[in-house]
Amino acid sequence: MILPIVAYGDPVLKKVGQDIDADYPKLNELLDNMFETMYNAFGVGLAAPQIGLPIRLFIIDTTPFSEDEDLSEDEQKELNGFKKVFINAKITSEEGDEWAFNEGCLSIPDVREDVFRKPEITIEYLDENFEKHVETFDGLIARVIQHEYDHIDGILFTEKLSTLKKRLIKGRLDNISKGKIRVDYKMRFPKQKKRR
């Protein structure tokens, strides 16, 4: 089932997510719905807060990036079919010199900005079977994970921009929260006037 994606301005996007356990109700159904919602919106990642749930859960599938001809063959191979579920994730280290990449977010449609992040991360997480993993990722995969991880910590990529950039996009962000934007997927807008 395709779920509405929560738009910028909704308080759930600012909450630090809660850990969940294996008894979380209908988790497999939730994961299926999240993947369906993400693919429908042509996203490469989706965090539970973006569908209104303040829990530490996100999914990624970097396959769309594997078609980028600017990337090396090895990078394309690595990105193709990289699909994972992250539950109760904790980034334990971020290494290297920060690099810029133009990021967007399904909760903030039509806003894309360069964000600086470290190139390598180590992360502890549980998969959909609640098996523990500790893994190190780099490049675009690390970046997608960092972006989604920020969501479960109540952080949006727009908060990582300079004060000037934030001022320049303020009006666009206000319009998004009011639903004054055209999107090709289902969304829920926090400040949209109810139609009578």
Coordinates of all heavy atoms in Angstrom, one line a residue, residues 143-189:
R143 N 26.4 8.1 1.9 CA 25.7 9.3 1.8 C 24.2 9.1 2.0 O 23.5 9.8 2.8 CB 25.9 10.1 0.5 CG 25.1 11.3 0.4 CD 25.6 12.3 -0.5 NE 26.9 12.8 -0.2 CZ 27.2 13.9 0.4 NH1 26.2 14.7 0.8 NH2 28.4 14.3 0.6
V144 N 23.6 8.1 1.3 CA 22.2 7.8 1.4 C 21.9 7.3 2.8 O 20.9 7.8 3.4 CB 21.8 6.7 0.3 CG1 20.3 6.3 0.5 CG2 22.0 7.2 -1.1
I145 N 22.7 6.5 3.4 CA 22.5 6.1 4.7 C 22.6 7.3 5.7 O 21.7 7.4 6.6 CB 23.6 5.0 5.2 CG1 23.4 3.7 4.4 CG2 23.5 4.8 6.7 CD1 24.5 2.7 4.5
Q146 N 23.5 8.2 5.5 CA 23.6 9.3 6.4 C 22.4 10.2 6.3 O 21.9 10.7 7.3 CB 24.9 10.2 6.1 CG 26.2 9.6 6.5 CD 27.4 10.2 5.8 OE1 27.4 10.3 4.6 NE2 28.3 10.7 6.6
H147 N 21.9 10.4 5.1 CA 20.7 11.2 4.9 C 19.5 10.6 5.6 O 18.7 11.3 6.3 CB 20.4 11.3 3.4 CG 19.2 12.1 3.1 ND1 19.2 13.4 2.6 CD2 17.8 11.8 3.2 CE1 18.0 13.9 2.4 NE2 17.1 12.9 2.8
E148 N 19.3 9.3 5.4 CA 18.1 8.6 6.1 C 18.3 8.5 7.6 O 17.4 8.7 8.4 CB 17.9 7.2 5.5 CG 17.6 7.2 4.0 CD 16.4 8.1 3.7 OE1 15.5 8.3 4.4 OE2 16.5 8.7 2.6
Y149 N 19.6 8.3 8.0 CA 19.9 8.3 9.5 C 19.6 9.6 10.1 O 19.0 9.6 11.2 CB 21.4 8.0 9.6 CG 21.8 7.8 11.1 CD1 21.7 6.6 11.8 CD2 22.4 8.9 11.8 CE1 22.1 6.5 13.1 CE2 22.8 8.7 13.1 CZ 22.6 7.5 13.7 OH 23.0 7.4 15.1
D150 N 19.9 10.7 9.4 CA 19.5 12.0 10.0 C 18.0 12.1 10.3 O 17.6 12.7 11.3 CB 19.8 13.1 9.0 CG 21.3 13.5 9.1 OD1 22.0 13.1 10.0 OD2 21.8 14.3 8.2
H151 N 17.2 11.5 9.4 CA 15.7 11.5 9.6 C 15.3 10.9 10.9 O 14.4 11.4 11.6 CB 15.0 10.8 8.5 CG 14.7 11.6 7.3 ND1 13.9 12.7 7.3 CD2 15.1 11.4 6.0 CE1 13.8 13.2 6.1 NE2 14.5 12.5 5.3
I152 N 16.0 9.8 11.3 CA 15.6 9.1 12.5 C 16.1 9.9 13.8 O 15.7 9.6 14.9 CB 15.9 7.6 12.6 CG1 17.4 7.4 12.5 CG2 15.2 6.8 11.5 CD1 17.9 5.9 12.8
D153 N 17.0 10.8 13.5 CA 17.5 11.7 14.6 C 16.8 13.1 14.5 O 17.2 14.0 15.2 CB 19.0 11.9 14.4 CG 19.8 10.9 15.2 OD1 19.2 10.2 16.0 OD2 21.0 10.9 15.0
G154 N 15.7 13.2 13.7 CA 15.0 14.4 13.6 C 15.7 15.6 12.9 O 15.4 16.7 13.1
I155 N 16.6 15.2 12.0 CA 17.3 16.2 11.2 C 17.0 16.2 9.7 O 17.0 15.1 9.2 CB 18.9 16.0 11.4 CG1 19.2 16.1 12.9 CG2 19.7 17.0 10.6 CD1 20.6 15.6 13.3
L156 N 16.8 17.3 9.1 CA 16.6 17.4 7.7 C 17.8 18.0 7.0 O 18.5 18.7 7.6 CB 15.3 18.3 7.4 CG 14.0 17.7 7.9 CD1 12.9 18.8 7.8 CD2 13.6 16.5 7.2
F157 N 18.0 17.6 5.7 CA 19.2 18.1 5.1 C 19.3 19.6 5.0 O 20.4 20.2 4.9 CB 19.4 17.4 3.7 CG 18.6 18.1 2.5 CD1 19.2 19.1 1.8 CD2 17.3 17.7 2.2 CE1 18.6 19.7 0.7 CE2 16.7 18.3 1.2 CZ 17.3 19.3 0.4
T158 N 18.1 20.2 5.0 CA 18.1 21.7 4.9 C 18.8 22.4 6.1 O 19.2 23.5 6.0 CB 16.7 22.2 4.7 OG1 15.9 21.6 5.7 CG2 16.1 21.9 3.4
E159 N 18.8 21.6 7.2 CA 19.5 22.2 8.4 C 21.0 22.2 8.3 O 21.7 22.8 9.1 CB 19.1 21.3 9.7 CG 17.6 21.5 10.0 CD 17.1 20.5 11.0 OE1 17.8 20.3 12.0 OE2 16.1 19.8 10.7
K160 N 21.5 21.5 7.3 CA 23.0 21.4 7.1 C 23.5 22.5 6.2 O 24.6 22.5 5.8 CB 23.4 20.0 6.6 CG 23.1 18.9 7.6 CD 23.6 17.6 7.2 CE 23.5 16.5 8.2 NZ 24.3 16.7 9.4
L161 N 22.6 23.4 5.7 CA 22.9 24.4 4.8 C 23.4 25.7 5.5 O 23.1 25.9 6.7 CB 21.7 24.7 3.9 CG 21.1 23.6 3.1 CD1 19.9 24.0 2.4 CD2 22.1 22.9 2.2
S162 N 24.1 26.6 4.7 CA 24.5 27.8 5.3 C 23.3 28.7 5.7 O 22.2 28.5 5.1 CB 25.4 28.6 4.3 OG 24.6 29.0 3.2
T163 N 23.5 29.7 6.5 CA 22.4 30.6 6.9 C 21.8 31.3 5.7 O 20.6 31.4 5.6 CB 23.0 31.6 7.9 OG1 23.6 30.9 9.0 CG2 21.8 32.4 8.6
L164 N 22.7 31.7 4.8 CA 22.3 32.4 3.6 C 21.4 31.4 2.7 O 20.3 31.8 2.3 CB 23.5 32.8 2.7 CG 23.1 33.4 1.4 CD1 22.3 34.7 1.6 CD2 24.4 33.7 0.6
K165 N 21.8 30.2 2.5 CA 21.0 29.2 1.7 C 19.7 29.0 2.4 O 18.7 28.9 1.7 CB 21.8 27.9 1.6 CG 22.7 27.8 0.4 CD 22.0 27.4 -0.8 CE 22.7 27.6 -2.1 NZ 24.1 27.1 -2.2
K166 N 19.7 28.9 3.7 CA 18.4 28.7 4.4 C 17.4 29.8 4.2 O 16.3 29.6 4.0 CB 18.7 28.5 5.9 CG 19.2 27.2 6.3 CD 19.4 27.1 7.8 CE 20.3 26.0 8.2 NZ 20.8 26.1 9.6
R167 N 18.0 31.0 4.2 CA 17.1 32.2 4.0 C 16.6 32.2 2.6 O 15.4 32.5 2.3 CB 17.9 33.5 4.2 CG 17.7 34.1 5.6 CD 17.9 35.6 5.7 NE 19.1 36.1 5.1 CZ 20.3 36.2 5.8 NH1 20.4 35.8 7.0 NH2 21.3 36.7 5.2
L168 N 17.4 31.8 1.6 CA 17.0 31.8 0.2 C 15.9 30.8 -0.1 O 15.1 31.1 -1.0 CB 18.2 31.5 -0.7 CG 19.3 32.6 -0.8 CD1 20.5 32.2 -1.6 CD2 18.7 33.9 -1.4
I169 N 15.9 29.7 0.7 CA 14.8 28.7 0.4 C 13.7 28.7 1.3 O 12.7 28.0 1.2 CB 15.4 27.3 0.3 CG1 16.0 26.9 1.7 CG2 16.4 27.1 -0.8 CD1 16.4 25.4 1.8
K170 N 13.7 29.7 2.3 CA 12.6 29.7 3.3 C 11.2 29.8 2.7 O 10.3 29.0 3.1 CB 12.8 30.9 4.2 CG 11.9 30.9 5.4 CD 12.2 32.1 6.3 CE 11.3 32.1 7.6 NZ 9.9 31.8 7.4
G171 N 11.0 30.7 1.7 CA 9.7 30.8 1.1 C 9.2 29.5 0.4 O 8.1 29.1 0.6
R172 N 10.2 28.8 -0.2 CA 9.8 27.5 -0.9 C 9.4 26.5 0.2 O 8.5 25.7 0.0 CB 11.0 27.0 -1.7 CG 11.1 27.9 -3.0 CD 12.5 27.7 -3.7 NE 12.6 26.4 -4.2 CZ 13.8 25.9 -4.6 NH1 14.9 26.6 -4.4 NH2 13.9 24.7 -5.1
L173 N 10.2 26.5 1.3 CA 9.9 25.5 2.4 C 8.5 25.8 3.0 O 7.7 24.9 3.2 CB 10.9 25.6 3.5 CG 12.3 25.1 3.0 CD1 13.3 25.3 4.2 CD2 12.4 23.7 2.5
D174 N 8.2 27.1 3.2 CA 6.8 27.4 3.7 C 5.7 27.0 2.7 O 4.7 26.5 3.2 CB 6.7 29.0 3.9 CG 7.5 29.4 5.1 OD1 7.9 28.6 5.9 OD2 7.8 30.7 5.2
N175 N 6.0 27.2 1.4 CA 5.0 26.7 0.4 C 4.8 25.2 0.5 O 3.7 24.7 0.3 CB 5.4 27.2 -1.0 CG 5.0 28.7 -1.2 OD1 4.2 29.2 -0.5 ND2 5.7 29.3 -2.2
I176 N 5.9 24.5 0.7 CA 5.8 23.0 0.7 C 4.9 22.6 1.9 O 4.0 21.8 1.8 CB 7.2 22.4 0.8 CG1 7.9 22.5 -0.5 CG2 7.1 20.9 1.2 CD1 9.4 22.2 -0.5
S177 N 5.1 23.2 3.1 CA 4.4 22.8 4.3 C 2.9 23.2 4.1 O 2.0 22.6 4.7 CB 4.9 23.5 5.5 OG 4.8 24.8 5.5
K178 N 2.6 24.2 3.3 CA 1.2 24.6 3.0 C 0.6 23.8 1.9 O -0.6 24.0 1.5 CB 1.1 26.1 2.7 CG 1.4 27.0 3.9 CD 1.5 28.4 3.4 CE 2.0 29.3 4.6 NZ 2.5 30.6 4.1
G179 N 1.4 22.9 1.2 CA 0.8 22.2 0.1 C 0.8 22.9 -1.2 O 0.1 22.5 -2.2
K180 N 1.5 24.1 -1.3 CA 1.5 24.9 -2.5 C 2.6 24.4 -3.4 O 3.6 25.1 -3.7 CB 1.7 26.3 -2.2 CG 0.5 27.0 -1.4 CD 0.8 28.4 -1.2 CE -0.4 29.1 -0.4 NZ -0.1 30.5 0.0
I181 N 2.5 23.1 -3.8 CA 3.5 22.5 -4.7 C 2.9 21.3 -5.4 O 1.9 20.7 -4.9 CB 4.7 22.0 -3.8 CG1 5.8 21.6 -4.7 CG2 4.3 21.0 -2.8 CD1 7.2 21.6 -4.1
R182 N 3.4 21.1 -6.6 CA 2.8 19.9 -7.4 C 3.8 18.8 -7.2 O 5.0 18.9 -7.4 CB 2.7 20.3 -8.8 CG 1.6 21.3 -9.0 CD 1.3 21.6 -10.5 NE 1.0 20.3 -11.1 CZ 0.8 20.2 -12.4 NH1 0.9 21.2 -13.2 NH2 0.5 19.0 -13.0
V183 N 3.2 17.6 -6.8 CA 4.1 16.4 -6.6 C 3.4 15.3 -7.3 O 2.1 15.2 -7.5 CB 4.3 16.1 -5.2 CG1 5.5 16.8 -4.6 CG2 3.1 16.3 -4.3
D184 N 4.2 14.3 -7.7 CA 3.6 13.1 -8.5 C 3.3 12.0 -7.5 O 3.1 10.8 -8.0 CB 4.6 12.6 -9.5 CG 4.9 13.7 -10.5 OD1 4.1 14.6 -10.7 OD2 6.0 13.7 -11.1
Y185 N 3.4 12.2 -6.2 CA 3.2 11.1 -5.3 C 2.3 11.7 -4.1 O 2.2 12.9 -3.9 CB 4.5 10.5 -4.7 CG 5.5 11.4 -4.3 CD1 5.6 11.9 -3.0 CD2 6.5 11.9 -5.2 CE1 6.6 12.7 -2.5 CE2 7.5 12.7 -4.7 CZ 7.5 13.2 -3.4 OH 8.5 14.0 -3.0
K186 N 1.7 10.7 -3.3 CA 0.8 11.1 -2.2 C 1.6 11.8 -1.1 O 2.6 11.2 -0.7 CB 0.2 9.8 -1.7 CG -1.3 9.7 -2.0 CD -2.1 8.6 -1.5 CE -1.6 7.6 -0.5 NZ -2.6 6.5 -0.3
M187 N 1.1 12.9 -0.7 CA 1.8 13.6 0.4 C 0.8 14.1 1.5 O -0.4 14.3 1.1 CB 2.6 14.8 -0.1 CG 3.9 14.5 -0.8 SD 5.0 15.9 -1.0 CE 5.8 15.9 0.6
R188 N 1.3 14.4 2.7 CA 0.4 15.0 3.7 C 1.1 16.3 4.1 O 2.3 16.2 4.5 CB 0.4 14.0 4.9 CG -0.7 14.3 5.9 CD -0.8 13.2 7.0 NE 0.2 13.5 8.0 CZ 0.8 12.6 8.8 NH1 0.6 11.4 8.6 NH2 1.7 13.0 9.7
F189 N 0.4 17.4 4.0 CA 1.0 18.7 4.3 C 0.5 19.2 5.6 O -0.7 19.3 5.8 CB 0.6 19.7 3.2 CG 1.1 19.2 1.8 CD1 0.2 18.6 0.9 CD2 2.4 19.4 1.4 CE1 0.6 18.1 -0.3 CE2 2.8 19.0 0.2 CZ 1.9 18.3 -0.7

